[in-house]
Amino acid sequence: MDYTAKLDTAIARLHDEGRYRTFIDIERRNGHFPHAVWTRPDGTASDITVWCGNDYLGMGQNPVVLSAMHEALDATGAGSGGTRNISGTTVYHKRLEAELADLHGKESALLFTSAYIANDATLSTLPRLFPGLIIYSDELNHASMIEGVRRNGGAKRIFRHNDVAHLRQLLEADDPNVPKIIVFESIYSMDGDFGPIEAICDLADEFNALTYIDEVHAVGMYGPRGAGVAERDRLMHRLDIINGTLAKAFGVMGGYIAASYKMCDAIRSYAPGFIFTTSLPPAVAAGAAASVAYLKQTPELREIQQTQARILKTRLKAMGLPIIDHGSHIVPVIVGDPVHTKKLSDMLLMDHGIYVQPINFPTVPRGTERLRFTPSPVHGPGEMDKLVKAMDALWSHCALNRAELSA
């Protein structure tokens, strides 16, 4: 067996399909984000504007967050020193979990090193807690949820995306006496559409099922205190487990679930992905707690971000660019071809100093390749003007189709 040749074949396949992914070497500038420095392949440096980051509100450079991290770093050092069970639980971890439980109106919260791990570890552990559990999962759920469902070894049912009628059919077909959980998202990040939270909660009540919602792209962004879409819609009390991240709107790192005390205690006690993982560094936990607390009191950042997204969508639509608009903060522009998508991304970066990463299969279905823009409160009018003009010029340069403009 020529193992190297097999690797060459696998990588060449990605190049042939136009979806080989490259890492862009950038250095964020504290206090100047969304501006960053890009180190080109030849070693030279260029100033760029980041338009595809998940630090949606610029909290990664907020002085309140940085001050908390500096203080914790000076007080405790770099790492946590162990797993949560063995010397890795500090006052900073407990404080952050208390902030998150309060944010979501739950009895408890449980920290993980990422929201991916939180989803995978929790969903793969639930069948051990509820023998015979059937998981009903939206077909467009995140890869971490799919992996957790796949690894749990229990029964699963996949319902068509946001199709409540199909979910009802699946629930009706199963034994009413077996445990059930419905797993879905509040915002699906590639199209920016919302999950039907209330309708799913109604079905869960009717069929005596638990509910598990991923609010990763919504925490910090929606609701009076930034708890997500469920808070905005006054539905948090109807959800059994809420998953969130600290690495997007909160600007730091880590993931979590918020639920009842007994649910968090059981996951803490049974999930290998929690038990055997070194805990977050105290400085990271301190920064995240400061960010969560700050955004509870700062709705204006959310309002500015939503305004920025609406402005960008309006301007791109006016040029006939094919964007998807479900009313969320995410701005996807559909290119529909992996080669053209990468070409547009490369030209924006090299010729205009605009960084937006191409999104290709398997993240999105083939034929729906796209550029996904994430405007933030720290993108100014000048940056937006430059982006819109560059997209207009490059769309024409690449001879891509435009939508018919209404009169």
Side-chain angles (χ1 to χ4, degrees):
M1 171 66 72
D2 188 339
Y3 293 101
T4 300
K6 292 292 185 183
L7 295 175
D8 288 340
T9 300
I11 297 300
R13 187 183 309 123
L14 297 178
H15 281 288
D16 292 342
E17 295 176 5
R19 58 186 186 93
Y20 178 77
R21 303 183 184 206
T22 57
F23 294 153
I24 306 300
D25 184 359
I26 68 170
E27 181 179 348
R28 287 162 55 109
R29 290 175 169 177
N30 179 29
H32 298 280
F33 190 74
H35 299 289
V37 176
W38 169 45
T39 302
R40 293 171 177 263
D42 64 5
T44 59
S46 297
D47 292 330
I48 63 170
T49 302
V50 178
W51 274 97
C52 59
N54 285 332
D55 186 358
Y56 291 133
L57 302 177
M59 290 302 293
Q61 63 181 354
N62 187 287
V64 171
V65 175
L66 300 185
S67 176
M69 295 186 73
H70 281 296
E71 181 181 333
L73 182 65
D74 291 341
T76 69
S80 68
T83 67
R84 287 293 297 275
N85 297 309
I86 306 175
S87 81
T89 294
T90 70
V91 63
Y92 301 100
H93 298 87
K94 300 300 288 184
R95 185 180 302 158
L96 176 53
E97 287 176 336
E99 284 283 1
L100 293 168
D102 172 75
L103 176 68
H104 292 288
K106 299 299 183 185
E107 292 177 340
S108 293
L110 190 64
L111 278 175
F112 294 81
T113 50
S114 72
Y116 187 109
I117 298 299
N119 273 332
D120 185 8
T122 303
L123 290 170
S124 62
T125 299
L126 287 173
R128 299 179 63 188
L129 306 175
F130 306 103
L133 179 70
I134 301 175
I135 296 183
Y136 302 81
S137 179
D138 188 291
E139 66 177 341
L140 293 189
N141 278 340
H142 189 265
S144 59
M145 304 167 82
I146 293 171
E147 184 65 12
V149 171
R150 184 190 67 80
R151 288 201 311 110
N152 69 41
K156 64 178 182 290
R157 312 281 187 260
I158 309 301
F159 61 93
R160 291 187 292 270
H161 178 53
N162 281 349
D163 190 334
V164 178
H166 186 220
L167 174 57
R168 169 179 286 279
Q169 291 174 8
L170 295 175
L171 288 163
E172 288 175 335
D174 285 320
D175 184 343
N177 296 315
V178 301
K180 302 174 177 68
I181 187 168
I182 304 170
V183 180
F184 63 109
E185 299 185 38
S186 63
I187 297 179
Y188 292 83
S189 64
M190 288 300 110
D191 285 352
D193 56 329
F194 294 90
I197 303 175
E198 185 171 20
I200 288 178
C201 287
D202 289 343
L203 279 182
D205 290 345
E206 182 179 347
F207 290 92
N208 192 27
L210 296 172
T211 49
Y212 184 108
I213 189 169
D214 179 308
E215 289 253 39
V216 161
H217 287 274
V219 290
M221 303 293 293
Y222 297 83
R225 299 200 307 158
V229 179
E231 183 194 29
R232 182 198 69 180
D233 297 346
R234 299 181 179 181
L235 295 168
M236 285 196 299
H237 64 288
R238 301 186 64 187
L239 295 158
D240 295 293
I241 304 174
I242 298 174
N243 169 275
T245 185
L246 302 163
K248 292 183 170 61
F250 293 124
V252 192
M253 178 187 175
Y256 63 90
I257 60 168
S260 68
Y261 170 79
K262 288 184 179 180
M263 182 69 77
C264 289
D265 192 31
I267 297 298
R268 176 189 70 83
S269 301
Y270 280 88
F274 177 85
I275 295 170
F276 298 106
T277 300
T278 298
S279 64
L280 289 172
V284 171
S291 183
V292 173
Y294 180 86
L295 286 178
K296 288 177 182 177
Q297 306 294 329
T298 319
E300 54 268 27
L301 275 182
R302 290 185 279 282
E303 294 163 5
I304 295 170
Q305 201 282 335
Q306 292 288 334
T307 299
Q308 291 280 75
R310 284 194 296 271
I311 292 171
L312 181 57
K313 289 176 184 178
T314 299
R315 296 187 65 178
L316 294 177
K317 285 179 184 177
M319 297 189 304
L321 269 60
I323 79 165
I324 299 175
D325 185 4
H326 290 287
S328 73
H329 62 284
I330 294 167
V331 186
V333 179
I334 302 299
V335 182
D337 172 81
V339 175
H340 276 123
T341 306
K342 187 173 189 314
K343 183 178 180 181
L344 278 170
S345 173
D346 289 345
M347 294 172 72
L348 283 168
L349 182 64
M350 291 185 289
D351 301 335
H352 299 273
I354 293 169
Y355 172 42
V356 56
Q357 190 73 9
I359 308 293
N360 294 325
F361 179 84
T363 306
V364 296
R366 297 181 193 274
T368 69
E369 292 83 4
R370 67 198 63 187
L371 299 175
R372 177 180 171 273
F373 297 95
T374 54
S376 77
V378 293
H379 286 93
E383 284 100 0
M384 192 174 294
D385 284 342
K386 184 176 179 181
L387 170 65
V388 170
K389 290 175 182 177
M391 285 293 289
D392 189 23
L394 292 179
W395 211 262
S396 297
H397 176 81
C398 294
L400 297 172
N401 291 331
R402 299 184 190 243
E404 291 292 331
L405 301 181
S406 57

